[in-house]
Amino acid sequence: MSGSLDGGARRADEADVVPVPSESRTGRRRLPRTGEGGDAQVIALTPAAERVPGMQSLRQRRRELQEHIAEGKLDAVRRQHSLGKLTARERLALLLDEDSFVELEPYRRHRSSGPGLAGNRPYTDGVVTGSGTVDGRRVFVYAQDFTLFGGSLGEAHAAKIHKILDLAIANGAPVIGLNDSGGARIQEGVLALNGYGGIFRRQVEASGVIPQISVILGPCAGGAAYSPALADFTFMVRDTARMYLTGPDVVEAVTGRRVSHEELGGADVHGTHSGVATVVHDDEEDCLADVRYLISLLPSNYLEPAPATARTGAADDYRPRLAEIVPPSPNQPYDMREVFAEVADDGEFFEVHAGWARNVLCALARIDGRVVGLVGNQPVVLAGVLDGPAAQKAARFVRFCDAFGIPLVSLVDVPGFLPGVEQERSGIIRQGAQLLHAYCEATVPRIQVILRKAYGGAYIVMDSRSIGCDLSLAWPTNEIAVMGAEGAVNVLYRRDLAAAADPAALRARLVAEYTEEYLNPQYSAERGLVDDIIDPADTRAAIARGLAMLQDKRKPGPSRKHGNLPI
């Protein structure tokens, strides 16, 4: 590179020289200027001691510097590619619409003189920040650059992310963070920690105001891991992404157990066990394409509706396959994903936490062009019971949909909460209360559809009429009760069964009587707890009509600072 913007020491060529007016070579000119009293004043001009670079030269220097910044360190870029990872700019090119990215602060550099930093001050300071569009809609982005200081966060690096978060909040647009960082920059000490604190505070301020998406494409260690945990959606890529508070070396030193990066904080760990990862992908290209799809389902902020598409005629859509998917027997399993596909437009839905707490499903979809949140029990996993992780998973999803004005549709087929000593000790009461709290405080349109069984407290927390759902529909196969018929008979007639000459025959007769009396489909409808009993094939149409009826719902929350979620 022949020159730099901040240096300016290079002499310009003759073609780049700006001519100095001959009059100025005298050192004085008389220019008419209105002053006090209206007399002309004498203005002294500095003689042109040196030739001044022209605009052509300045533009050339700027282009060269921009190319140098965009090119990066070639050996570091090659190492990044050898790890199966794209560079920050390559990722942004995949994520954003073509030629839409406007970079901010590309010339920012650190001011530290710590070991290894003095004289090593690359532009961008290891993070590329700016704004662009996804399908024409504005988003703000930052992409950490692992080729510079390992993407570590220092004062200048953090300040750039702070600015992006501030701009996203001020403009009411989603923010997307592409994380690939070794963590805090040790040489900058407390300034790095202060930078993280500023990020976290802004993320909390943005919570429920704009959608926040974190994409983990490399390491995300130490305090940095809290940023994805605070986001609404976290994507991870297998084999390259890893996220943990303390690395393998610390774990081994403290516990004596040797563990790999992947075993400790890989994508499958967080997608299956911890629940930190919302979506897991095999490669960066598919991951970033999925982020684009998610953006198409989200509103830009809490004051705007989610983007709608053309109506699909769902209000008159008859789906007979629904009656084939769901067996009439309450104990026979089926895949609730197939029900989601029949209910959603074009059979498409965006499932979150697919690998974690699989006994409940949560997904974004469209019904008749409108974005909705689908929550459903999954009978093929633990018979669809609710346990602690399932309750937490559904609660967070319900709260997200409520924060951003997305209607909720709950498809219920639940035998109850999972019993057991471990469940009680792990806090299932508290965790179940989180789901209960989430539904109770939700003010968006809420529709409940009971497909088969809905027993006990699990029926209540799955958005029953008693906790505020707007429209409750049920199939003819519905069974709403404190518990199933056999369990109820065993409790109510324990002594009679013990004294009976033929307990099995007596039990069969009592179960049939209890089912006829209390589990018949009309029981709840006659008491106003179900609005209508519908044909399974009419489910999609009934939901679409219900959403149209409730689209103008307005229900302000109570006057208070905030509730106290049982977390």
Side-chain angles (χ1 to χ4, degrees), residues 388-399:
Q392 291 180 316
K393 170 180 170 177
R396 180 154 172 80
F397 181 73
V398 167
R399 286 172 62 84

Side-chain angles (χ1 to χ4, degrees), residues 18-29 45-48 52:
V18 176
V20 180
S22 59
E23 300 94 321
S24 69
R25 292 173 185 162
T26 64
R28 279 182 181 270
R29 289 180 61 192
L45 300 179
T46 303
V52 180

